[in-house]
Amino acid sequence: TRAVVRYVSGARVPVIVHTAPIFNDDGEVELVLEVFVGTKEIDRLSDEIKNTQQRYRQLFDAVPSYIAVLDRKLRISGANRRFKDDFGDHISRAFFNVLKPAASQHKNSPIHQTLNDGLPHHSEMVLIAQNGIQYNIIAWTSPIKTAAGKLIQILVIFLDITELRRLQDNLSSLG
């Protein structure tokens, strides 16, 4: 619970109090252990965490490439602003339902490779958005693992190179 304690000096300090019974051999409560900690430090750390989260969100959203974070079932668990602006906010939806790869690329995608071996991969792909627009992209994947090394998410960064491929096609047709 939260409480306020007053020191001998008269200063009042907000604290969080935790109590736990200590039992004797007969199973009866013999003592009660009470531990409390000042909330000022907890509040300071909480504010620091919020500020850090905001800074990381700003950095995440400022990246000029598309970024999506996928869970092990390849559902979108996070995306940066550019991804959301161009493809919509599809949190919890299957990535390959939002952006469909060319049939031959589906199981050979760097996403599936990272899911299978837990290593980073990259390759060029063709993805088709729900509105039918085709994107030529270069996709980089990076595994996100627990401290024990278990894959829990996949970070996918991809760069739209559609215009570059269009220009290459035009140049090659010119000879």
Side-chain angles (χ1 to χ4, degrees):
T1 186
R2 288 182 177 262
V4 176
V5 296
R6 191 173 75 194
Y7 289 117
V8 175
S9 67
R12 296 165 101 35
V13 178
V15 295
I16 294 177
V17 181
H18 178 77
T19 59
I22 298 175
F23 299 97
N24 64 17
D25 292 339
D26 297 328
E28 299 170 344
V29 175
E30 186 171 314
L31 299 169
V32 175
L33 174 67
E34 184 174 84
V35 179
F36 63 91
V37 63
T39 60
K40 194 175 210 177
E41 180 66 9
I42 291 171
D43 291 341
R44 185 190 68 76
L45 290 172
S46 177
D47 289 343
E48 191 174 314
I49 288 170
K50 286 177 190 172
N51 290 336
T52 301
Q53 286 174 329
Q54 284 179 326
R55 281 196 308 268
Y56 279 112
R57 173 47 73 182
Q58 288 172 338
L59 289 170
F60 190 62
D61 284 339
V63 174
S65 299
Y66 300 107
I67 300 177
V69 179
L70 312 179
D71 66 16
R72 289 190 50 81
K73 293 183 178 179
L74 303 183
R75 294 178 303 218
I76 300 168
S77 58
N80 71 342
R81 183 177 300 130
R82 181 153 188 219
F83 184 95
K84 290 177 183 178
D85 287 349
D86 288 1
F87 305 114
D89 189 355
H90 294 290
I91 302 300
S92 299
R93 294 217 28 229
F95 179 82
F96 289 117
N97 287 341
V98 175
L99 291 165
K100 298 181 187 299
S104 63
Q105 297 176 337
H106 186 66
K107 293 296 179 187
N108 295 325
S109 74
I111 295 167
H112 282 97
Q113 290 174 339
T114 297
L115 182 64
N116 291 332
D117 66 15
L119 299 171
H121 293 278
H122 69 279
S123 71
E124 188 172 331
M125 297 178 65
V126 175
L127 295 175
I128 302 165
Q130 290 180 323
N131 60 8
I133 296 175
Q134 181 175 304
Y135 292 87
N136 293 76
I137 60 120
I138 297 177
W140 291 272
T141 61
S142 182
I144 300 172
K145 298 179 179 184
T146 64
K150 180 182 177 189
L151 178 74
I152 54 171
Q153 292 180 312
I154 300 170
L155 176 70
V156 183
I157 301 172
F158 54 101
L159 179 64
D160 182 3
I161 59 167
T162 305
E163 191 60 32
L164 177 65
R165 289 295 172 246
R166 201 172 291 137
L167 289 171
Q168 283 180 330
D169 290 344
N170 288 343
L171 284 174
S172 65
S173 68
L174 292 173

